[in-house]
Amino acid sequence: MLGAMMNYPLTLAQILDHANRIHGDKHVHTLLPNGKMDTYNYAMLYRRVKQLANAITELGIRPGDRVATFASNTYQHLEIYCAVPYAGAIIHPLNVRLAPTQLAKIVEEADDKFIFVDGTCAAQFSQLQYKIDCRRVVLFNANHVHDKNLTDLSIDYENIIAEAEDNYISDIPDENWAMALCYTSGTGGEPKGVLYTHRSMFLHTLAVNQADVFGLTESDVVMPLVPMFHAMGWGLPYAAMFVGADIVLADTNNERIVDLIAEIGVTVAAGVPTVWTKLLPEFRKRKQDISSLQRLIVGGEPIPSSLIEAYEKELGVEVRHAWGMTEMSPTGTFCTLRKAHQNLPDDEKWKIKAMQGRPIPGVQMRLVNENGTELPWDGNAIGEVQVKSPWTVSSYYKNEPTPEHFTVDRWLRTGDLATINSEGYMQIVGRAKALIRSGGESISTVALENVLLKYPHVKDAAVIGIPNEKWGERPIAVVVLSSKTNENISEILKCHLASEFPKFWIPDRFIIVDEIPKTGVGKTDKQAIIELITASQKGELL
């Protein structure tokens, strides 16, 4: 027997309508490129979102069309985040840190109809615009653009909003309609698209707003220092709007972060460990100025327990460690202490907090060995993490599910190796596939190795990640040359890779060896390579 409850689509429109009607007086603060602060309330955000939805419809955007953004964290980017799916189209945030060659492939596969470009990112975009077919550009913050061709060929953002009506009514009849497209590096090195639905994002928003996850409330002031092009800004913009928290938007590298926390009273901030490592010295000097800050949400890569200790012991700021993937919208686990942990010594608490945490409500997780056998949660057994949830991808964009990424019973294979203890706390110990996490960004060793092997004098190559105090991990390349040379091969290979990859992908070192160690079955022996690198650092390898 079916129940007799109301059944209507769960869509982004409900989040926006609720934010406007219930929390219309709450604020969005943006630190503008000129150093000034722009502030308006949710009611104004809602009005401009409806105007923008009308404007893009008038410009020819139809339901299902992909609309890209090439932008930093600003109120305009937030408006686009809301207006595009509100109009039934699909928002596609582009990672401004990727190389033009990579971005061109992504734009081509996505078949983007429009690209909204932040003027502060125009220099990077100018390297991309002539590599792509999508020529329709809507430009904001145009006073920061020095490329006359870009300003002449683009549409002005504020003009199209000013000319549009604010009476748009969102009508998404099916909650499974696509609302956003984000690309991930993937476990095989090639970018893969993840197509979120209105339903998946709505349910993800409800899940992360649980008390033991983001734990946001109407009284919070939230500063997402994670870029909005990183898996929809970890879902923080929608989560904050739904509960009515104020939002503070700023560039991660801005020198005024501490000033913003003090001036606006930020209570919750989110970003990768690199950000918090960088800010720690200033936070220590200005402890009184950050007294409003209660909690950090940290993800993207593991955070060392020493950094957790510094924030919690010295500054009185709680650290919540998260794990997830673009494929999971992106939140999968969150690390908060249980009641049973409250009487533990502080160092034991920090050790737990350095783990990736427990599955959030709605996420199912299992450990599986290479033979397909499910492993116990005993804190010792190491297996691949496999997940499923209402906000986890079931196939990649324009690709059928493959055994490499999905199991027969349709669980996502994450590629991460981990243990899970009896309390459900996961500890990542490695990666089944070679991805390096540097400063919260993914670097594919497979992609780097493939391009290195294209260089005429490279006979063999392997890239691995080694621990780095500042960035988490950094790539090191071990290379076999086909013939000896007196040239500066490191600089040559750096230039060779720079034509394909962004700067942060380029290995810090290139170690030339006679042969790359292999395992008994002919695979690259990563452990032996680590030993090679260690030997070279000690001067034992020439």
Side-chain angles (χ1 to χ4, degrees):
M1 176 185 291
L2 295 177
M5 306 305 289
M6 292 182 183
N7 186 3
Y8 54 89
L10 304 176
T11 70
L12 179 65
Q14 293 179 48
I15 295 176
L16 296 175
D17 294 347
H18 182 80
N20 171 63
R21 183 173 291 275
I22 307 302
H23 305 297
D25 61 339
K26 302 310 292 288
H27 294 96
V28 177
H29 309 270
T30 301
L31 183 62
L32 300 174
N34 61 10
K36 295 182 180 180
M37 183 67 66
D38 179 274
T39 297
Y40 67 6
N41 61 26
Y42 279 4
M44 180 59 72
L45 168 67
Y46 188 66
R47 179 185 176 187
R48 285 172 61 88
V49 164
K50 293 187 125 188
Q51 288 178 292
L52 184 54
N54 268 319
I56 62 176
T57 301
E58 288 294 320
L59 288 170
I61 292 298
R62 296 293 176 259
D65 285 345
R66 274 71 67 203
V67 177
T69 61
F70 198 84
S72 56
N73 288 9
T74 67
Y75 71 88
Q76 298 101 325
H77 202 178
L78 180 62
E79 292 167 357
I80 301 162
Y81 249 53
C82 297
V84 171
Y86 195 75
I90 300 168
I91 184 74
H92 175 204
L94 294 168
N95 186 337
V96 302
R97 296 172 183 168
L98 294 182
T101 303
Q102 290 173 303
L103 287 169
K105 292 177 182 177
I106 290 171
V107 171
E108 180 182 6
E109 181 176 280
D111 190 21
D112 294 316
K113 304 300 182 186
F114 275 76
I115 298 183
F116 284 82
V117 177
D118 186 340
T120 61
C121 303
Q124 299 101 301
F125 183 74
S126 64
Q127 301 174 45
L128 169 66
Q129 66 179 124
Y130 297 110
K131 295 179 182 290
I132 58 178
D133 290 331
C134 182
R135 294 282 189 265
R136 305 206 68 178
V137 172
V138 180
L139 185 65
F140 56 93
N141 289 326
N143 55 324
H144 291 270
V145 180
H146 303 293
D147 186 337
K148 190 173 185 300
N149 288 329
L150 181 56
T151 53
D152 288 347
L153 294 173
S154 62
I155 302 166
D156 183 74
Y157 183 85
E158 289 300 330
N159 284 347
I160 66 171
I161 286 185
E163 296 169 1
E165 299 290 335
D166 62 358
N167 59 353
Y168 192 93
I169 298 176
S170 182
D171 182 22
I172 310 295
D174 189 340
E175 64 186 15
N176 291 302
W177 191 252
M179 58 80 62
L181 176 64
C182 286
Y183 274 75
T184 177
S185 295
T187 55
E190 289 298 321
K192 294 179 178 64
V194 178
L195 196 59
Y196 305 134
T197 66
H198 281 263
R199 177 179 184 270
S200 71
M201 191 55 68
F202 186 95
L203 292 176
H204 180 269
T205 302
L206 290 181
V208 297
N209 273 332
Q210 296 286 310
D212 274 340
V213 190
F214 290 174
L216 304 182
T217 70
E218 181 271 341
S219 62
D220 279 316
V221 179
V222 182
M223 177 186 282
L225 291 179
V226 54
M228 292 173 70
F229 55 73
H230 267 194
M232 304 302 290
W234 296 355
L236 277 160
Y238 300 140
M241 285 190 288
F242 215 4
V243 300
D246 281 8
I247 301 174
V248 182
L249 299 171
D251 187 278
T252 304
N253 297 319
N254 197 285
E255 296 178 354
R256 288 195 57 205
I257 295 298
V258 177
D259 293 334
L260 291 179
I261 294 173
E263 292 168 13
I264 306 176
V266 172
T267 61
V268 180
V272 298
T274 305
V275 170
W276 308 121
T277 301
K278 177 183 176 182
L279 288 172
L280 182 58
E282 189 173 4
F283 279 3
R284 281 170 167 156
K285 292 178 184 176
R286 301 178 60 182
K287 184 176 178 179
Q288 294 303 315
D289 293 335
I290 63 164
S291 59
S292 65
L293 189 60
Q294 300 170 10
R295 185 161 68 254
L296 300 184
I297 298 170
V298 185
E301 60 189 7
I303 181 171
S305 59
S306 59
L307 190 58
I308 297 173
E309 179 181 354
Y311 272 93
E312 296 200 344
K313 185 177 181 179
E314 297 179 40
L315 302 175
V317 178
E318 180 193 4
V319 175
R320 293 192 177 184
H321 194 193
W323 169 88
M325 305 171 67
T326 301
E327 290 92 333
M328 298 184 71
S329 302
T331 314
T333 66
F334 232 77
C335 198
T336 52
L337 297 178
R338 299 180 64 215
K339 181 179 180 180
H341 301 146
Q342 297 307 316
N343 294 324
L344 291 175
D346 285 344
D347 59 342
E348 290 297 319
K349 291 180 181 178
W350 293 320
K351 189 179 296 183
I352 294 171
K353 287 194 165 199
M355 301 174 76
Q356 280 66 48
R358 301 190 293 172
I360 69 172
V363 172
Q364 296 180 59
M365 183 174 292
R366 67 187 184 189
L367 290 179
V368 178
N369 68 15
E370 57 188 16
N371 297 320
T373 303
E374 188 169 350
L375 301 174
W377 290 16
D378 60 6
N380 295 311
I382 297 175
E384 181 187 37
V385 179
Q386 297 179 357
V387 297
K388 66 177 181 179
S389 76
W391 50 84
T392 294
V393 69
S394 61
S395 64
Y396 289 105
Y397 182 61
K398 292 187 177 180
N399 284 278
E400 292 296 322
T402 64
E404 180 184 4
H405 302 113
F406 301 93
T407 65
V408 174
D409 54 350
R410 304 308 297 270
W411 288 62
L412 173 69
R413 301 184 60 184
T414 69
D416 280 325
L417 299 176
T419 64
I420 303 178
N421 68 21
S422 59
E423 294 179 303
Y425 286 85
M426 179 177 72
Q427 177 75 65
I428 299 292
V429 299
R431 276 179 278 279
K433 296 291 184 179
L435 281 180
I436 296 169
R437 295 293 286 175
S438 182
E441 298 277 358
S442 292
I443 299 174
S444 170
T445 61
V446 174
L448 287 170
E449 289 165 359
N450 286 341
V451 174
L452 279 173
L453 290 170
K454 291 180 182 178
Y455 189 75
H457 300 297
V458 173
K459 183 179 179 181
D460 200 1
V463 178
I464 69 166
I466 63 168
N468 182 279
E469 185 174 346
K470 181 178 181 181
W471 301 110
E473 286 183 305
R474 288 296 303 149
I476 300 289
V478 178
V479 177
V480 177
L481 299 177
S482 57
S483 59
K484 292 185 177 181
T485 177
N486 292 324
E487 297 179 301
N488 188 335
I489 194 65
S490 293
E491 289 303 315
I492 291 173
L493 293 179
K494 283 182 180 179
C495 292
H496 174 66
L497 292 174
S499 64
E500 295 280 344
F501 304 112
K503 184 178 179 181
F504 73 88
W505 275 50
I506 309 303
D508 287 350
R509 297 179 61 204
F510 292 80
I511 300 172
I512 309 303
V513 297
D514 294 328
E515 185 178 66
I516 290 178
K518 307 287 183 181
T519 66
V521 293
K523 295 183 178 180
T524 300
D525 189 336
K526 299 288 186 178
Q527 185 57 45
I529 290 175
I530 292 174
E531 293 173 3
L532 276 176
I533 292 171
T534 302
S536 72
Q537 290 172 334
K538 293 179 179 179
E540 298 169 7
L541 184 68
L542 299 179

Coordinates of all heavy atoms in Angstrom, one line a residue, residues 71-135:
A71 N 35.3 31.8 -12.8 CA 35.1 32.9 -11.8 C 35.7 32.5 -10.4 O 35.8 31.3 -10.1 CB 33.7 33.3 -11.7
S72 N 35.9 33.5 -9.6 CA 36.3 33.3 -8.2 C 35.0 33.4 -7.3 O 33.9 33.4 -7.8 CB 37.3 34.4 -7.8 OG 36.8 35.7 -8.0
N73 N 35.2 33.5 -6.0 CA 34.1 33.5 -5.1 C 33.6 35.0 -5.0 O 34.2 35.8 -4.3 CB 34.5 33.0 -3.7 CG 34.7 31.5 -3.7 OD1 34.7 30.8 -4.8 ND2 34.8 30.9 -2.5
T74 N 32.5 35.3 -5.6 CA 31.8 36.6 -5.6 C 30.3 36.4 -5.6 O 29.8 35.4 -5.8 CB 32.2 37.4 -6.9 OG1 31.6 36.8 -8.0 CG2 33.7 37.5 -7.1
Y75 N 29.6 37.5 -5.3 CA 28.2 37.5 -5.2 C 27.6 37.2 -6.6 O 26.6 36.5 -6.8 CB 27.6 38.8 -4.6 CG 27.7 40.0 -5.5 CD1 26.7 40.3 -6.4 CD2 28.8 40.9 -5.4 CE1 26.8 41.5 -7.2 CE2 28.9 42.0 -6.1 CZ 27.9 42.3 -7.1 OH 28.0 43.4 -7.8
Q76 N 28.3 37.7 -7.7 CA 27.8 37.4 -9.0 C 27.9 35.9 -9.3 O 27.0 35.3 -9.9 CB 28.7 38.1 -10.1 CG 28.6 39.7 -10.0 CD 29.8 40.2 -9.3 OE1 30.4 39.6 -8.3 NE2 30.3 41.4 -9.7
H77 N 29.0 35.3 -8.9 CA 29.1 33.8 -9.1 C 28.0 33.1 -8.3 O 27.4 32.1 -8.8 CB 30.5 33.3 -8.6 CG 30.9 32.0 -9.3 ND1 32.2 31.5 -9.0 CD2 30.3 31.2 -10.1 CE1 32.3 30.3 -9.7 NE2 31.1 30.2 -10.4
L78 N 27.7 33.5 -7.1 CA 26.6 32.9 -6.4 C 25.3 33.1 -7.1 O 24.4 32.2 -7.1 CB 26.5 33.6 -5.0 CG 25.5 33.0 -4.0 CD1 25.7 31.5 -3.7 CD2 25.4 33.8 -2.7
E79 N 25.0 34.3 -7.7 CA 23.8 34.5 -8.4 C 23.7 33.5 -9.6 O 22.6 33.0 -9.9 CB 23.7 35.9 -8.9 CG 23.6 36.9 -7.8 CD 23.8 38.4 -8.2 OE1 24.2 38.6 -9.4 OE2 23.7 39.3 -7.4
I80 N 24.8 33.3 -10.3 CA 24.8 32.4 -11.5 C 24.6 31.0 -11.0 O 23.8 30.2 -11.6 CB 26.1 32.5 -12.2 CG1 26.4 34.0 -12.7 CG2 26.1 31.6 -13.4 CD1 27.8 34.3 -13.1
Y81 N 25.2 30.6 -9.9 CA 25.0 29.3 -9.2 C 23.5 29.0 -9.0 O 23.1 27.8 -9.1 CB 25.7 29.3 -7.9 CG 26.9 28.4 -7.8 CD1 28.0 28.6 -8.7 CD2 27.1 27.5 -6.8 CE1 29.1 27.8 -8.6 CE2 28.2 26.7 -6.7 CZ 29.2 26.9 -7.6 OH 30.3 26.1 -7.4
C82 N 22.8 30.0 -8.7 CA 21.4 29.8 -8.4 C 20.5 30.0 -9.6 O 19.6 29.2 -9.8 CB 20.9 30.9 -7.3 SG 21.8 30.7 -5.7
A83 N 20.8 31.0 -10.4 CA 19.9 31.3 -11.5 C 19.9 30.3 -12.6 O 18.8 30.0 -13.2 CB 20.3 32.7 -12.1
V84 N 21.0 29.7 -13.0 CA 21.1 28.8 -14.1 C 20.3 27.5 -13.8 O 19.4 27.2 -14.6 CB 22.6 28.4 -14.4 CG1 22.7 27.3 -15.4 CG2 23.3 29.6 -14.9
P85 N 20.5 26.8 -12.7 CA 19.6 25.7 -12.4 C 18.1 26.1 -12.1 O 17.2 25.3 -12.4 CB 20.2 25.0 -11.2 CG 21.1 26.0 -10.6 CD 21.5 26.9 -11.7
Y86 N 17.9 27.3 -11.6 CA 16.6 27.8 -11.4 C 15.8 27.9 -12.7 O 14.6 27.6 -12.7 CB 16.7 29.2 -10.7 CG 15.4 29.7 -10.1 CD1 15.0 29.2 -8.8 CD2 14.7 30.7 -10.6 CE1 13.8 29.7 -8.2 CE2 13.5 31.2 -10.1 CZ 13.1 30.7 -8.8 OH 12.0 31.2 -8.2
A87 N 16.5 28.2 -13.8 CA 15.9 28.3 -15.1 C 15.9 26.9 -15.8 O 15.5 26.9 -17.0 CB 16.7 29.3 -15.9
G88 N 16.3 25.8 -15.2 CA 16.3 24.5 -15.8 C 17.5 24.2 -16.6 O 17.6 23.1 -17.1
A89 N 18.5 25.1 -16.6 CA 19.8 24.8 -17.3 C 20.8 24.2 -16.3 O 20.4 24.0 -15.2 CB 20.3 26.1 -17.9
I90 N 22.0 23.9 -16.8 CA 23.0 23.2 -16.0 C 24.2 24.1 -15.8 O 24.9 24.5 -16.7 CB 23.4 21.9 -16.7 CG1 22.1 21.0 -16.9 CG2 24.4 21.2 -15.9 CD1 22.4 19.8 -17.8
I91 N 24.5 24.4 -14.5 CA 25.6 25.2 -14.2 C 26.9 24.4 -14.3 O 26.9 23.2 -13.8 CB 25.5 25.9 -12.8 CG1 26.6 26.8 -12.5 CG2 25.3 24.8 -11.7 CD1 26.6 28.1 -13.2
H92 N 27.9 24.9 -14.9 CA 29.2 24.1 -15.1 C 30.4 25.0 -14.7 O 31.0 25.7 -15.5 CB 29.3 23.7 -16.6 CG 30.6 23.0 -16.9 ND1 31.2 23.0 -18.1 CD2 31.5 22.3 -16.1 CE1 32.3 22.4 -18.1 NE2 32.5 21.9 -16.9
P93 N 30.8 25.0 -13.4 CA 31.9 25.8 -12.9 C 33.2 25.2 -13.4 O 33.5 24.0 -13.2 CB 31.8 25.6 -11.4 CG 30.5 25.0 -11.1 CD 30.1 24.2 -12.3
L94 N 34.0 26.0 -14.1 CA 35.3 25.6 -14.6 C 36.4 25.9 -13.6 O 36.4 27.0 -13.0 CB 35.6 26.3 -15.9 CG 34.7 26.0 -17.1 CD1 35.0 27.0 -18.3 CD2 35.0 24.5 -17.6
N95 N 37.3 25.0 -13.4 CA 38.4 25.2 -12.5 C 39.5 26.1 -13.2 O 40.2 25.7 -14.1 CB 39.1 23.9 -12.2 CG 40.2 24.0 -11.1 OD1 40.7 25.0 -10.9 ND2 40.4 22.8 -10.4
V96 N 39.6 27.4 -12.7 CA 40.4 28.4 -13.3 C 41.9 28.0 -13.2 O 42.7 28.6 -13.8 CB 40.2 29.8 -12.7 CG1 38.7 30.2 -12.9 CG2 40.6 29.8 -11.2
R97 N 42.2 27.0 -12.3 CA 43.6 26.6 -12.1 C 44.1 25.6 -13.1 O 45.3 25.3 -13.2 CB 43.8 26.1 -10.7 CG 43.5 27.1 -9.6 CD 43.5 26.5 -8.2 NE 43.2 27.5 -7.2 CZ 42.9 27.2 -6.0 NH1 42.9 25.9 -5.6 NH2 42.6 28.1 -5.1
L98 N 43.2 25.1 -13.9 CA 43.6 24.1 -14.9 C 44.3 24.7 -16.1 O 44.0 25.9 -16.4 CB 42.5 23.2 -15.3 CG 41.8 22.3 -14.3 CD1 40.7 21.5 -14.9 CD2 42.9 21.4 -13.6
A99 N 45.1 24.0 -16.8 CA 45.7 24.5 -18.0 C 44.7 24.6 -19.2 O 43.7 23.9 -19.2 CB 46.8 23.5 -18.5
P100 N 44.9 25.6 -20.1 CA 44.0 25.8 -21.2 C 43.7 24.6 -22.0 O 42.5 24.3 -22.4 CB 44.7 26.9 -22.0 CG 45.5 27.6 -21.1 CD 46.0 26.6 -20.1
T101 N 44.7 23.7 -22.2 CA 44.5 22.5 -23.0 C 43.5 21.6 -22.3 O 42.6 21.0 -22.9 CB 45.8 21.7 -23.2 OG1 46.7 22.6 -23.8 CG2 45.6 20.5 -24.0
Q102 N 43.6 21.4 -21.0 CA 42.6 20.6 -20.2 C 41.2 21.2 -20.3 O 40.2 20.5 -20.5 CB 43.1 20.5 -18.8 CG 44.3 19.6 -18.6 CD 44.8 19.7 -17.1 OE1 45.1 20.7 -16.6 NE2 44.9 18.5 -16.5
L103 N 41.2 22.5 -20.0 CA 39.9 23.2 -20.0 C 39.2 23.1 -21.4 O 38.0 23.0 -21.4 CB 40.1 24.6 -19.6 CG 40.4 24.9 -18.1 CD1 40.8 26.3 -17.9 CD2 39.2 24.5 -17.2
A104 N 39.9 23.2 -22.4 CA 39.3 23.2 -23.8 C 38.7 21.8 -24.0 O 37.6 21.8 -24.6 CB 40.4 23.4 -24.8
K105 N 39.3 20.8 -23.6 CA 38.7 19.4 -23.7 C 37.4 19.3 -22.9 O 36.4 18.7 -23.4 CB 39.7 18.3 -23.2 CG 40.9 18.2 -24.1 CD 41.8 17.2 -23.6 CE 43.1 17.0 -24.4 NZ 44.1 16.1 -23.8
I106 N 37.4 19.9 -21.7 CA 36.2 19.8 -20.8 C 35.1 20.6 -21.4 O 33.9 20.2 -21.5 CB 36.6 20.4 -19.4 CG1 37.5 19.4 -18.7 CG2 35.4 20.6 -18.6 CD1 38.1 19.9 -17.4
V107 N 35.4 21.9 -21.9 CA 34.3 22.7 -22.5 C 33.7 22.0 -23.8 O 32.5 22.1 -24.0 CB 34.9 24.1 -22.9 CG1 33.9 24.9 -23.7 CG2 35.3 24.9 -21.6
E108 N 34.6 21.4 -24.5 CA 34.1 20.7 -25.7 C 33.2 19.6 -25.4 O 32.1 19.4 -26.0 CB 35.3 20.2 -26.5 CG 34.9 19.5 -27.8 CD 36.1 18.9 -28.6 OE1 37.2 18.9 -28.1 OE2 35.8 18.3 -29.7
E109 N 33.6 18.8 -24.4 CA 32.7 17.6 -24.0 C 31.4 18.1 -23.4 O 30.3 17.6 -23.7 CB 33.4 16.7 -23.0 CG 32.6 15.5 -22.6 CD 33.3 14.5 -21.7 OE1 34.1 13.7 -22.2 OE2 33.0 14.6 -20.5
A110 N 31.5 19.2 -22.6 CA 30.3 19.7 -21.9 C 29.4 20.4 -22.9 O 28.2 20.5 -22.7 CB 30.7 20.6 -20.8
D111 N 29.9 20.9 -24.0 CA 29.2 21.6 -25.0 C 28.5 22.9 -24.4 O 27.3 23.1 -24.5 CB 28.1 20.7 -25.7 CG 27.5 21.4 -26.9 OD1 28.1 22.3 -27.5 OD2 26.3 21.0 -27.3
D112 N 29.3 23.6 -23.7 CA 28.8 24.8 -23.0 C 28.3 25.9 -24.0 O 29.0 26.1 -25.0 CB 29.9 25.5 -22.2 CG 30.3 24.6 -21.0 OD1 29.5 24.0 -20.4 OD2 31.6 24.4 -20.8
K113 N 27.1 26.4 -23.7 CA 26.5 27.4 -24.6 C 27.0 28.9 -24.3 O 27.1 29.7 -25.2 CB 25.0 27.4 -24.5 CG 24.4 26.0 -24.8 CD 24.8 25.5 -26.2 CE 24.1 24.1 -26.5 NZ 24.5 23.6 -27.8
F114 N 27.2 29.1 -23.0 CA 27.6 30.4 -22.5 C 28.7 30.2 -21.5 O 28.8 29.2 -20.9 CB 26.5 31.2 -21.8 CG 25.6 31.9 -22.7 CD1 24.6 31.3 -23.5 CD2 25.7 33.3 -22.8 CE1 23.8 32.0 -24.3 CE2 24.8 34.0 -23.7 CZ 23.9 33.4 -24.4
I115 N 29.6 31.2 -21.3 CA 30.6 31.2 -20.3 C 30.5 32.6 -19.6 O 30.7 33.6 -20.2 CB 32.0 30.9 -20.7 CG1 32.1 29.5 -21.4 CG2 33.0 31.0 -19.6 CD1 33.5 29.2 -21.8
F116 N 30.2 32.5 -18.3 CA 30.3 33.7 -17.4 C 31.7 33.9 -16.9 O 32.2 33.0 -16.3 CB 29.3 33.6 -16.3 CG 27.9 33.8 -16.6 CD1 27.1 32.8 -17.1 CD2 27.2 35.0 -16.5 CE1 25.8 32.9 -17.5 CE2 25.9 35.2 -16.8 CZ 25.2 34.2 -17.3
V117 N 32.3 35.0 -17.2 CA 33.7 35.2 -16.9 C 33.9 36.4 -15.9 O 33.4 37.5 -16.1 CB 34.5 35.5 -18.2 CG1 36.0 35.8 -17.8 CG2 34.5 34.3 -19.1
D118 N 34.6 36.1 -14.8 CA 34.9 37.1 -13.8 C 36.1 37.9 -14.4 O 37.1 37.3 -14.8 CB 35.3 36.4 -12.5 CG 35.6 37.4 -11.4 OD1 35.8 38.6 -11.6 OD2 35.5 36.9 -10.2
G119 N 36.0 39.2 -14.4 CA 37.1 40.0 -14.9 C 38.4 39.8 -14.2 O 39.5 40.0 -14.9
T120 N 38.4 39.4 -13.0 CA 39.7 39.2 -12.3 C 40.3 37.9 -12.8 O 41.5 37.7 -12.5 CB 39.4 39.1 -10.8 OG1 38.5 38.0 -10.5 CG2 38.8 40.3 -10.2
C121 N 39.6 37.1 -13.5 CA 40.2 35.8 -14.1 C 40.4 36.0 -15.6 O 40.6 35.0 -16.3 CB 39.2 34.6 -13.8 SG 38.9 34.3 -12.1
A122 N 40.3 37.2 -16.1 CA 40.3 37.4 -17.6 C 41.7 37.0 -18.2 O 41.7 36.5 -19.3 CB 40.0 38.8 -17.9
A123 N 42.8 37.2 -17.4 CA 44.1 36.8 -18.0 C 44.2 35.4 -18.3 O 44.7 34.9 -19.3 CB 45.2 37.3 -17.0
Q124 N 43.7 34.5 -17.3 CA 43.7 33.1 -17.6 C 42.7 32.7 -18.7 O 43.0 31.9 -19.5 CB 43.3 32.3 -16.3 CG 44.2 32.5 -15.1 CD 43.6 33.5 -14.1 OE1 43.3 34.6 -14.4 NE2 43.4 33.0 -12.9
F125 N 41.5 33.4 -18.7 CA 40.5 33.0 -19.7 C 41.0 33.4 -21.1 O 40.7 32.7 -22.1 CB 39.2 33.8 -19.4 CG 38.1 33.4 -20.4 CD1 37.5 32.2 -20.3 CD2 37.7 34.3 -21.4 CE1 36.5 31.8 -21.2 CE2 36.7 34.0 -22.3 CZ 36.1 32.7 -22.2
S126 N 41.8 34.4 -21.3 CA 42.3 34.8 -22.6 C 43.1 33.7 -23.2 O 43.2 33.6 -24.5 CB 43.1 36.1 -22.5 OG 44.3 35.9 -21.7
Q127 N 43.7 32.9 -22.4 CA 44.5 31.7 -23.0 C 43.6 30.6 -23.4 O 44.0 29.7 -24.1 CB 45.5 31.2 -21.9 CG 46.5 32.3 -21.4 CD 47.3 31.7 -20.2 OE1 47.8 30.6 -20.3 NE2 47.5 32.5 -19.2
L128 N 42.4 30.6 -23.0 CA 41.4 29.6 -23.3 C 40.4 29.9 -24.4 O 40.1 29.1 -25.2 CB 40.6 29.2 -22.0 CG 39.4 28.3 -22.2 CD1 39.8 26.9 -22.6 CD2 38.6 28.3 -20.9
Q129 N 40.0 31.2 -24.5 CA 38.9 31.6 -25.3 C 39.0 31.2 -26.8 O 38.0 30.9 -27.4 CB 38.6 33.1 -25.2 CG 39.6 34.0 -25.7 CD 39.2 35.5 -25.5 OE1 39.9 36.3 -24.9 NE2 38.1 35.8 -26.1
Y130 N 40.3 31.2 -27.3 CA 40.4 30.9 -28.7 C 40.7 29.4 -29.0 O 40.9 29.0 -30.1 CB 41.5 31.8 -29.4 CG 41.1 33.2 -29.3 CD1 41.8 34.1 -28.5 CD2 40.1 33.8 -30.1 CE1 41.5 35.5 -28.4 CE2 39.7 35.1 -30.0 CZ 40.4 35.9 -29.1 OH 40.1 37.3 -29.1
K131 N 40.7 28.6 -27.9 CA 40.8 27.2 -28.1 C 39.4 26.5 -28.0 O 39.4 25.3 -28.2 CB 41.7 26.6 -26.9 CG 43.1 27.1 -26.9 CD 43.9 26.5 -25.7 CE 45.3 27.0 -25.7 NZ 46.1 26.5 -26.8
I132 N 38.4 27.3 -27.8 CA 37.1 26.7 -27.7 C 36.1 27.3 -28.7 O 36.3 28.4 -29.2 CB 36.5 26.9 -26.2 CG1 36.5 28.4 -25.9 CG2 37.4 26.1 -25.2 CD1 35.9 28.7 -24.5
D133 N 35.0 26.5 -28.9 CA 34.0 27.0 -29.8 C 33.0 27.9 -29.2 O 32.3 28.7 -29.8 CB 33.2 25.8 -30.4 CG 34.0 25.0 -31.4 OD1 34.9 25.5 -32.0 OD2 33.8 23.7 -31.5
C134 N 32.9 27.8 -27.9 CA 31.9 28.7 -27.1 C 32.4 30.1 -27.1 O 33.3 30.4 -26.3 CB 31.7 28.1 -25.7 SG 30.5 29.1 -24.8
R135 N 31.9 31.0 -27.9 CA 32.3 32.3 -28.0 C 31.4 33.3 -27.2 O 31.7 34.5 -27.1 CB 32.4 32.8 -29.4 CG 33.4 32.1 -30.3 CD 34.8 32.6 -30.0 NE 35.8 32.1 -30.9 CZ 36.5 31.0 -30.7 NH1 36.4 30.4 -29.5 NH2 37.4 30.6 -31.6

